[in-house]
Amino acid sequence: MFDAVLIRKSDSGQEAGVSKVETAQLPQGDVLVDVAWSTLNYKDALAITGASPVVRSFPMVPGIDFAGVVAENSHSDFKPGDRVVLNGWGVGERHWGGLAVRARVRGDWLVPLPEGVSLRNAMAIGTAGYTAMLCVMALERNGVLPDSGEVVVTGAAGGVGSIATMLLASRGNSVAAVTGRMTEADYLTGLGATSIIDRAEFTQVGRPLAKERWAGAIDVAGGVVLANVLASMRYRGVVAACGLAGGMELPTTVAPFILRAVTLVGIDSVLCPKPQRLAAWQRLAQELDMAKLDGMTTEVHLSDIVSMAPKFLDGQVRGRILVPINLQVG
């Protein structure tokens, strides 16, 4: 028996809490992992609170990512003792996830943890950091270089935004950090942001085209925020869009695309092909300042995850929320 956050559904509604489960209850898979660390992400918070129909079957263990050590294996790419990380693949939505002491998954979903990245750091990076790197790689593929001009990052004090700011600054980009919490200005400057912009500038529907400001953008908000970002891109600017914290709708026009040749690139971290995953994690290991990660992380015990989830959705969380699961692993 081991501890896991379990979401159940009944006629009276959905409830979540820490429960005891058995290894035999875990879903099918060819790799059993002893989980060392997991995290609380935006999607996990939606699942735990029931604020959005993220969970596809019940009962469900949330946790869209985890880092741990292979305990049992019948997959050719791994052996017991290997350190691995998982992001996405419907884990925590359709398949039991990482907010548990053990997880059984398909080996094709796992990535070997690069040398020099600890299990804790793997989750300080987590799906947020991996997604941020996919965004940076997309900007690069589309010609946004350090000398191209300023790059704007929305939701900059959150997990994706914080690591995106760090990555862009480390490669020499000038970064404009957008946040709804101007009290986080010093934090964002410490991550490398060169300017801080109040999110209030982006929350009202604006003109189809505004003053040209940015060569690149990483957007986690969607909605009106993304529409205003698109309207302010420079000629041939590139926007990597990876989130919907500000809404699913996109009240924009074709003007940025046909008059300024702006490129809008969609970023999906859930089903991203394995070669890109491996490349992203290798670059994170090489380019991310691991020492800075400590300044943007908070540890929350497994038993406190359910009470933390609503705070996450209310925007009361900075950076990354780490969940120590079994510190004896690895």
Side-chain angles (χ1 to χ4, degrees), residues 178 196-204 213-214 224-225 228:
V178 177
I196 314 298
I197 304 174
D198 193 327
R199 185 179 61 203
E201 293 187 24
F202 297 80
T203 55
Q204 300 298 318
R213 300 175 70 177
W214 300 296
V224 174
V225 174
N228 284 317

Side-chain angles (χ1 to χ4, degrees), residues 151-157 160-162 164-165 168 175-179 197 214 216-220:
V151 177
V152 64
V153 177
T154 67
V160 174
S162 292
T165 299
L168 290 166
V175 182
V178 177
T179 180
I197 304 174
W214 300 296
I218 295 177
D219 176 67
V220 305

